[in-house]
Each structure stands twice: as structure tokens, then as C-alpha cells.
Amino acid sequence: MADKNSALWGGRFQKPIAEVAHKFSSSIALDGKLWREDIRGSLAHAEMLGATGIIPEEEVDVIIKGLNEISHEIDRGEFQFDPSMEDVHLAIEQRLIQKVGSVGGKLHTGRSRNDQVALDERLYLKQAIATLNEKIADLIEALLTKAEEHADTVMPGYTHMQRAQPVLLSHHLLAYIRMLSRDAYRLDDALTRVDRSPLGAAAFAGTSYPIDREMTAKALGFSIVMPNSIDAVSDRDHLIEVASACSIIMMHLSRMAEELVIWSSTEFGFVTMSDAVTTGSSIMPQKKNPDMAELIRGKVGRVYGSLINLLTTMKALPLAYNRDMQEDKQPMFDALETTTDSVEMMALVIRETTYNAERMEDTVRAGHLMATEIADYLARKGMPFREAHHVTGKIVAYADKKKKSLEELTIEEYQSFSDKFKKSIYRSLDPRKSLEEKRSFGSTNPEMVRAELEAWRKRTQD
Ligand code: ARG
């Protein structure tokens, strides 16, 4: 290690970096993961150096052959990164020079690790977003299948965690599908800002070599060449956007997870999760714990943490590149990996969950969920809604006192509160009828929900 400084940074360095400083600053343990992207970027850069005549084609061929060999070596586990290397870029370059000799040193012409790392991260993010979006599509599919199975299951809807009004379980599950679909759009939108090539910005000021930035961008599948070299090496807001999209996904998953945890309790009994996604207790034999849902809920903190980590790392950083930015790897990988794993796990949890329709429907009958229907009934008969609400409140209090459900009250009892009540009130008290009576667009009306299910099914088949 003694001459590493002078070998890499040139003659200006007379003394090796302190062991502890090397350990403190090396990122190879983390950014080693970017080797595929790093080699892809180097291949495109080398081709361009040849095509523009910056270095002779014969030398480019040697470099390309060497890089391809290194790729195979890493793939087969034959080449392990030298831990004394500072980062993945230097490790691969050093290996190239080892293999092909000093000509390998020409690869870095017109390039800097600053544009190199910015490029590697963008290549990684493009792939990671595609994978995450596939997992989201699969989770939507799992939810849609359950929603179709339960197209007509009635459940109590909640506000403030109090039984509020009956809704279709399918409508409830479709709400999650809507959230996830926005999540996918959010990622796609962030992708348009990830999909820009920083390569060729060099350290930050550009280069005097006649490089062709369009050519490398095209070869690497980027839509746009970043037009400002200073911005190209110092922008991480595209990454922050992705971490933010991941945080929102995790927030959505945590709501689903929380609900599944509560719904699987004996108190609710709305769902039963299979043994594939639950665990037992080492001491209480009766228990079946919803660990996977809990862990999804628990992992949210890591992803939010990554977002805050990135925002804080970038805060107040002067232009252009600063070494602080190396700290972006850990939150970048962790946010993407944790979110992708969590979405995948949620799809399995949903598939392994049975929704207990009977129990849900029984619950709708208790807790005066139909009170709003009574108020609407009176309002339809001409009573101002505020007044109808007040009268209904009195009826609910009366039923509670008599320990009766709203259906059990007699017509005489209803009429003692208002002469607008007719026998037809009992039709309004039927939860299923009340769903059918919903008319507003986007409501839990069974026909509208069915149309929504069909539209989603068609969309997933396109
Ligand atoms: N490992 C560095 C990072 O991840 C690569 C860029 C280093 N650039 C430099 N000028 N030291 O940020």
C-alpha cells in the first residue's frame, strides 16, 4: 500500500495514506456492487475514444478485451476486489492495467471518477427502477385477484378506526391499487430525470479532448446528454427523487401492513394469513404472528432514513463534486433494495391471505353502520340533512339504550322520531341495498366497482 498514493495520484504524494484514513475513506465494500455499470460505462467510453481518434483503435481493442475479461472474472468469482483499493473505479482500472499493461492507463483519458460515479449510479438506478416497477405490477396483480374474488363482499369501512359505513372489500382493495399505480407513475416520472448522461463532464469542467458525449449517451441508452458539466457531476436530486418515491411506496405498504396486522387479530378476525407468511411463538403455542407484515411496516424507517440521509448529505454542499457525495451509496442501495424486497414480500403476503367474508359481513350488522342511511332517508323525504343527522343521532342513542340494533327498532319506534318514516326504511337498512343506492362517481356502488375491476383487469392484460 505504501506507494499507492504516488501510483494513483502522481508524484506530488511522498507519503502513503494513513491506514486509518484509507479505511475511513474506502468505499469499495459498498460501491463494488456497481462493477457491472462501471464496466459498461468504461466500454462505451473506450469505444468513443477510438471512434474519435483520441486513442488508436488497436489500443481500444486491447482495452475492450481486457474489460470484458474482467467482467467474466468478477462474474465467476475469480477476481475479488483488492480491499486496499479506494473504490470500484480504481479497482477495475488497476486490474485492467495489470492485465493489459500501461495501455490500460489510457482508458481514463477525458474522464474523471466524478462523471464515472455519476454515470454508474444512473445506470444502476435505471435498472433498479425497472425491477421495482415490475414488483409493483405484480403486487397490483395480487391485489386485483383478491378484489375480483371478493367483488361482492361487504365489509365495514372505517374512519377514526370506528365502524363508519359499509363498503365493498373490492373497493377497499382497489384503493391500494390506485396508490400503487401512482407510485409506479412517480417512479417513471423520476426516471425521466435519471435517464440523462453525465459522462464526459470529466471532473466538472469538461475536457480538452474532442470527446463525443452524444455517442456514449446513445451507446448506454440515455435519452439526454446533461448540458452542464458542473451540474452533471454534482446533481444527486434525481436520486433523492427516487428515494422519495421509495419512501412513499413504503408509507403505502405500511398502511396495508398495519391493516393486515390488525385484521388478523382475534378481535377483528377479518383475515387469516397462511403459515407461509406467519411465524409461531416459542412460548405461546396458540400464536400465529403476522411477522412479514410487521417487518414491512418496520422497514419503512430504513427507507425514510435513506431519504433524510441523502437530503442531509447534499445540503449546503458547494459546487461541484465533494467527497461527501460518496456517502450516497449506502442509502441509495438500501432504499432501492429494501423497497423492492418489501413490495415483493407484500405480494406474497396478499396471495397467502384469506379474507373472511362472513366475519366482515357479520360485523357490518353491528355498530350502527347504517345510521348514515337513515339520515339520507329522511333527507330524501325533504328534511334538511343537518336536521336528519340530528334526528338519526337521537335514534342511535335510543337504540343503544334499548340495546337494540337499528334493524330491530319497530316502525312505531321510528315514527316516534319523525312521521317521515315508512316501512321502506328497512330497505335502506340493508347494507347491500345501501351500496346499490350509492350513485356518485367513484363510490362503492357494486356496478361501478365491477367496472373498475374490469378496467384494471384489462389494463394488466395490455
Ligand atoms: N468513490 C467516489 C464516490 O463515490 C468516486 C469519485 C471520487 N472522486 C474524487 N475526486 N475523489 O464519490
Side-chain angles (χ1 to χ4, degrees):
M1 204 162 86
D3 355 90
K4 214 143 255 164
N5 266 336
S6 56
L8 290 167
W9 322 130
R12 190 181 191 288
F13 286 81
Q14 279 151 24
K15 180 171 153 175
I17 188 169
E19 189 64 44
V20 59
H22 169 74
K23 266 205 183 140
F24 187 73
S25 61
S26 168
S27 59
I28 188 111
L30 271 174
D31 61 26
K33 261 190 207 174
L34 291 172
W35 68 267
R36 274 196 185 81
E37 290 76 11
D38 201 69
I39 292 179
R40 256 185 82 196
S42 288
L43 286 169
H45 182 66
E47 297 266 13
M48 181 278 292
L49 290 176
T52 49
I54 296 170
I55 62 176
E57 289 284 5
E58 315 82 73
E59 291 182 348
V60 169
D61 291 345
V62 173
I63 290 172
I64 286 179
K65 191 161 165 276
L67 286 169
N68 282 325
E69 278 171 25
I70 297 172
S71 182
H72 287 135
E73 285 174 7
I74 304 176
D75 227 359
R76 289 196 227 102
E78 289 161 13
F79 167 54
Q80 250 112 46
F81 295 123
D82 175 355
S84 75
M85 284 281 111
E86 196 185 283
D87 57 27
V88 66
H89 324 294
L90 292 177
I92 291 174
E93 189 183 334
Q94 187 219 30
R95 179 70 184 145
L96 181 68
I97 295 170
Q98 255 176 22
K99 286 176 78 80
V100 307
S102 62
V103 66
K106 294 200 178 182
L107 172 63
H108 214 51
T109 313
R111 184 175 76 166
S112 152
R113 281 184 299 152
N114 297 352
D115 58 343
Q116 198 175 349
V117 70
L119 172 73
D120 291 2
E121 289 187 346
R122 284 172 186 272
L123 289 172
Y124 165 80
L125 285 171
K126 281 177 76 170
Q127 177 58 50
I129 289 173
T131 309
L132 178 50
N133 262 344
E134 274 169 33
K135 304 282 178 207
I136 292 177
D138 187 54
L139 174 53
I140 289 179
E141 170 64 44
L143 284 163
L144 184 58
T145 305
K146 290 288 171 187
E148 285 167 340
E149 267 171 41
H150 288 281
D152 297 318
T153 301
V154 184
M155 64 167 268
Y158 292 81
T159 60
H160 313 270
M161 267 319 277
Q162 307 287 318
R163 287 179 202 167
Q165 282 181 275
V167 288
L168 289 172
L169 172 57
S170 46
H171 192 52
H172 186 93
L173 294 173
L174 279 164
Y176 284 120
I177 291 181
R178 285 276 161 195
M179 294 176 215
L180 290 162
S181 144
R182 285 194 298 276
D183 289 336
Y185 280 125
R186 223 180 319 271
L187 283 170
D188 280 340
D189 189 58
L191 183 62
T192 62
R193 282 168 297 279
V194 172
D195 185 20
R196 299 172 182 197
S197 176
L199 188 59
F204 75 104
T207 172
S208 52
Y209 292 101
I211 59 168
D212 185 345
R213 294 191 62 200
E214 281 291 341
M215 181 182 168
T216 47
K218 204 164 162 227
L220 292 165
F222 285 102
S223 308
I224 295 174
V225 174
M226 295 185 78
N228 181 311
S229 62
I230 299 176
D231 180 45
V233 296
S234 50
D235 155 37
R236 292 294 182 274
D237 49 63
H238 63 287
L239 169 56
I240 292 172
E241 276 189 67
V242 176
S244 158
C246 286
S247 297
I248 296 175
I249 295 170
M250 291 304 287
M251 177 273 291
H252 285 153
L253 293 189
S254 79
R255 299 184 74 176
M256 294 174 69
E258 169 75 1
E259 209 165 71
L260 287 168
V261 170
I262 297 176
W263 284 12
S264 65
S265 67
T266 312
E267 285 74 4
F268 267 81
F270 282 7
V271 296
T272 312
M273 286 183 231
S274 96
D275 298 356
V277 292
T278 49
T279 61
S281 156
S282 50
I283 175 164
M284 297 163 283
Q286 85 283 10
K287 291 195 70 186
K288 200 162 149 187
N289 300 328
D291 291 33
M292 298 311 127
E294 290 172 289
L295 278 166
I296 293 170
R297 193 176 58 185
K299 285 175 193 283
V300 178
R302 282 180 44 187
V303 179
Y304 287 5
S306 296
L307 172 62
I308 296 298
N309 183 338
L310 288 163
L311 282 167
T312 313
T313 302
M314 295 309 293
K315 174 184 177 290
L317 271 194
L319 295 178
Y321 176 83
N322 297 273
R323 190 66 180 273
D324 314 42
M325 290 157 79
Q326 177 171 289
E327 292 297 319
D328 66 357
K329 309 293 174 308
Q330 193 265 341
M332 174 177 78
F333 291 132
D334 203 40
L336 269 304
E337 286 168 14
T338 306
T339 307
T340 306
D341 291 351
S342 301
V343 174
E344 184 174 36
M345 183 49 60
M346 186 56 97
L348 181 69
V349 169
I350 296 295
R351 291 194 167 102
E352 294 292 329
T353 293
T354 309
Y355 290 83
N356 305 325
E358 230 173 278
R359 164 80 184 143
M360 286 183 171
E361 297 198 3
D362 285 349
T363 313
V364 171
R365 298 188 191 283
H368 305 321
L369 268 86
M370 306 314 292
T372 314
E373 306 308 320
I374 300 178
D376 284 342
Y377 177 91
L378 292 173
R380 275 200 300 275
K381 303 234 161 195
M383 191 182 283
F385 184 78
R386 270 292 146 239
E387 203 179 309
H389 182 281
H390 188 76
V391 171
T392 309
K394 286 192 163 167
I395 298 173
V396 168
Y398 172 84
D400 271 344
K401 210 171 81 202
K402 294 273 168 189
K403 295 197 168 30
K404 281 181 162 189
S405 73
L406 293 172
E407 297 164 297
E408 285 163 352
L409 297 181
T410 63
I411 189 65
E412 291 75 23
E413 284 174 306
Y414 273 110
Q415 282 164 348
S416 72
F417 290 93
S418 164
D419 55 12
K420 292 198 185 310
F421 282 116
K422 300 276 156 341
K423 280 231 155 111
S424 56
I425 181 62
Y426 295 103
R427 258 210 317 278
S428 293
L429 289 175
D430 175 347
R432 221 167 272 280
K433 285 259 165 0
S434 87
L435 297 184
E436 283 160 18
E437 274 167 18
K438 296 272 178 297
R439 291 188 214 298
S440 57
F441 173 73
S443 71
T444 195
N445 174 298
E447 265 173 50
M448 289 187 198
V449 174
R450 197 166 284 281
E452 177 80 349
L453 286 173
E454 279 164 19
W456 275 105
R457 178 50 68 202
K458 246 185 101 198
R459 235 200 253 195
T460 61
Q461 282 161 352
D462 285 342

